[in-house]
């Protein structure tokens, strides 16, 4: 099983749509979880951290299910500017490499007018 | 403004040549990282350093070398032993506050073979 697995997409949605991305991870010792956004030919930028209780930042909602080792990101009222690749990122969470992140390959979102 | 600066933005390597990618941060972060990204692929860790004068191999360290003589700087050398160096190279840093905080990235260096 891959360490962090995401549906590669692309997800093509109209403006205003709600879209959900899912991600599974294999290391049950993982401690921290994040969603990053990467625009074409740019560096990844932190979108939000994911907390056990779930968290919301404006139109974005992140959820974590530790029992199922599953993370999700929900985007409501999609904007054209949301078009990007969304990376699911998991902290290794143990020993000397606890700062190390494992990146999924990303899910591409394209929001159309 | 605080941030991570990578240079150059584009770099071309001749066969048999070593090239060095620069990464400087003024965020006072202890940990720094180098990743490689190939088209359609996720980021893969090359090397990381959690303190000055110490660094560890990541998943794909062969053909690369690093140094961490100063907290602010973590240069990456792509040696001639790296046979497929064409990729997007990203440097990141993070700090520790009870747990490692999310990594922040520089804007990357694109390396190509001439």
């Amino acid at each position: 099983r891959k360490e962090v697995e995401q549906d590669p997409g692309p997800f093509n949605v109209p403006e205003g749509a709600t879209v959900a991305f899912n991600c599974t991870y294999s290391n049950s010792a993982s401690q921290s979880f994040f969603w990053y956004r990467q625009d074409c030919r740019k560096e990844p930028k932190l979108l939000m951290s994911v907390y056990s209780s779930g968290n919301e930042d404006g139109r974005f909602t992140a959820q974590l299910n530790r029992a199922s080792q599953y993370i999700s990101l929900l985007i409501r009222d999609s904007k054209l500017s949301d078009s990007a690749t969304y990376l699911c990122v998991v902290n290794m969470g143990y020993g000397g490499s606890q700062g190390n992140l494992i990146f999924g390959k990303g899910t591409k979102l394209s929001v159309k007018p | 403004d605080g941030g991570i600066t990578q240079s150059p933005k584009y770099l071309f390597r001749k066969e048999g040549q070593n090239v060095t990618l620069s990464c400087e941060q003024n965020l006072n972060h202890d940990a720094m990282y180098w990743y490689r990204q190939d088209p359609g692929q996720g980021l893969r860790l090359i090397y990381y350093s959690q303190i000055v004068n110490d660094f560890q191999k990541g998943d794909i360290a062969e053909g690369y070398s690093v140094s961490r003589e100063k907290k602010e700087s973590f240069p990456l050398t792509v040696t001639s032993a790296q046979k497929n160096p064409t990729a997007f190279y990203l440097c990141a840093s993070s700090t520790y506050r009870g747990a490692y905080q999310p990594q922040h990235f520089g804007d990357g260096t694109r390396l190509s073979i001439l």
Side-chain angles (χ1 to χ4, degrees), chain A residues 30-91:
Chain A
S30 299
Q31 298 293 321
S32 309
F33 309 89
F34 311 99
W35 284 100
Y36 278 72
R37 169 195 170 128
Q38 186 173 25
D39 292 285
C40 188
R41 298 179 68 81
K42 299 285 191 180
E43 75 276 20
K45 291 186 179 176
L46 179 67
L47 180 66
M48 57 198 301
S49 301
V50 186
Y51 302 117
S52 295
S53 54
N55 47 300
E56 190 173 305
D57 182 1
R59 298 181 293 109
F60 299 84
T61 300
Q63 299 249 317
L64 168 64
N65 183 323
R66 284 189 185 272
S68 301
Q69 295 179 206
Y70 169 97
I71 306 159
S72 65
L73 177 69
L74 184 77
I75 305 176
R76 289 181 300 279
D77 188 22
S78 300
K79 312 289 184 193
L80 296 177
S81 57
D82 293 334
S83 297
T85 296
Y86 290 82
L87 308 177
C88 176
V89 184
V90 174
N91 184 298

Side-chain angles (χ1 to χ4, degrees), chain B residues 28-98:
Chain B
N28 200 32
H29 285 176
D30 291 304
M32 296 186 74
Y33 310 82
W34 273 106
Y35 294 91
R36 168 183 173 138
Q37 188 176 35
D38 294 279
Q41 301 297 311
L43 278 69
R44 292 184 291 167
L45 183 64
I46 304 173
Y47 268 99
Y48 64 100
S49 167
Q50 293 177 329
I51 56 171
V52 174
N53 292 323
D54 187 53
F55 49 83
Q56 306 295 329
K57 292 182 179 180
D59 300 319
I60 53 165
E62 187 173 346
Y64 300 98
S65 66
V66 293
S67 63
R68 186 89 187 275
E69 296 175 4
K70 298 187 298 181
K71 188 175 185 177
E72 303 79 19
S73 179
F74 192 40
L76 174 75
T77 296
V78 184
T79 74
S80 56
Q82 173 49 248
K83 298 305 180 191
N84 184 22
T86 297
F88 186 35
Y89 290 86
L90 289 155
C91 178
S93 70
S94 70
T95 191
Y96 185 84
R97 292 193 205 109

